[in-house]
Amino acid sequence: MDNGEEMIDRCADMFPFILLDQNAEEMIDRCADMFPFILLDQNGEEMIDRCADMFPFILLDQNGEKMIDRCADMFPFILLDQKGEEMIDRCADMFPFILLDQNGEEMIDRCADMFPFILLDQNGEEMIDRCADMFPFILLDQNGEEMIDRCADMFPFILLDQNGEKMIDRCADMFPFILLDQAVVEY
């Protein structure tokens, strides 16, 4: 076993995501079982197709800017952290919405100018108040189920995609209506 591969289990317990370059392509399947998403920099461009089959979204930092076009063809949305702030304009042209976690809080204002809504997962819970001031509604997927109550206090309605289907009953108790958008439902 490769020296890096045997550490995947340990790393998955300690880190929220992983960076793979072209030398680690054989570990994509194992990593997809252990991590919710992946970070690719410019050295990992050749792995976009494989990663799109294994991960629901991708994290790009400033080193991955040249891959935005390719990623937009393969992933429904993108995660940007604070290191990717300079790519917001480009991403807004290519993706219908954006995922921000707690590391992207400083980008909320810029994103609100460029995207019609935002996706928050459980790591972005602390940003709900700020997002409610900047976006008219919010998208929650299955990872955001624990935030339904908070969101119901802050947003007039919610957007669910197919990944949020299991939350319909809970949402029906908390929101007067629900929004389904073809830009989201299509994927």
Side-chain angles (χ1 to χ4, degrees):
M1 183 181 288
D2 182 87
N3 289 332
E5 189 170 0
E6 65 198 30
M7 297 193 296
I8 291 176
D9 294 342
R10 289 274 319 283
C11 289
D13 291 332
M14 306 299 293
F15 298 95
F17 61 92
I18 196 168
L19 167 64
L20 292 184
D21 65 10
Q22 74 274 28
N23 296 318
E25 185 170 5
E26 69 265 12
M27 296 194 292
I28 290 177
D29 293 344
R30 285 281 315 286
C31 289
D33 292 333
M34 304 301 294
F35 295 92
F37 61 94
I38 196 170
L39 169 62
L40 288 184
D41 64 9
Q42 72 275 24
N43 295 320
E45 184 171 7
E46 63 210 41
M47 298 194 297
I48 291 176
D49 293 345
R50 285 279 318 283
C51 289
D53 292 332
M54 304 301 294
F55 295 93
F57 61 93
I58 196 168
L59 169 62
L60 290 184
D61 63 9
Q62 73 275 26
N63 296 319
E65 183 170 6
K66 69 177 184 175
M67 298 194 296
I68 291 176
D69 293 344
R70 284 282 315 286
C71 288
D73 292 332
M74 304 301 294
F75 294 93
F77 61 93
I78 195 169
L79 169 62
L80 290 183
D81 64 7
Q82 71 276 24
K83 294 179 179 175
E85 183 171 6
E86 63 209 43
M87 299 194 296
I88 291 176
D89 293 345
R90 287 278 318 283
C91 289
D93 292 332
M94 305 301 295
F95 294 93
F97 61 94
I98 195 168
L99 168 62
L100 289 184
D101 63 8
Q102 73 274 25
N103 294 319
E105 184 169 6
E106 64 210 43
M107 298 195 295
I108 291 176
D109 293 345
R110 287 280 316 285
C111 288
D113 292 332
M114 304 301 295
F115 294 93
F117 60 94
I118 195 168
L119 169 62
L120 289 184
D121 63 8
Q122 73 274 26
N123 295 319
E125 183 171 6
E126 63 213 43
M127 299 195 296
I128 290 176
D129 293 344
R130 286 278 319 285
C131 289
D133 292 333
M134 304 301 295
F135 294 93
F137 61 94
I138 195 168
L139 169 63
L140 289 184
D141 64 8
Q142 74 275 21
N143 295 319
E145 184 171 8
E146 63 211 41
M147 298 194 295
I148 291 176
D149 292 344
R150 285 279 318 284
C151 288
D153 292 333
M154 304 301 295
F155 294 93
F157 61 93
I158 196 169
L159 171 62
L160 289 184
D161 63 8
Q162 77 275 22
N163 294 319
E165 185 175 1
K166 67 177 182 176
M167 300 194 294
I168 290 176
D169 291 343
R170 286 279 317 285
C171 289
D173 293 333
M174 305 299 295
F175 293 93
F177 62 93
I178 194 172
L179 174 64
L180 293 179
D181 190 315
Q182 76 276 12
V184 181
V185 173
E186 279 171 5
Y187 78 79

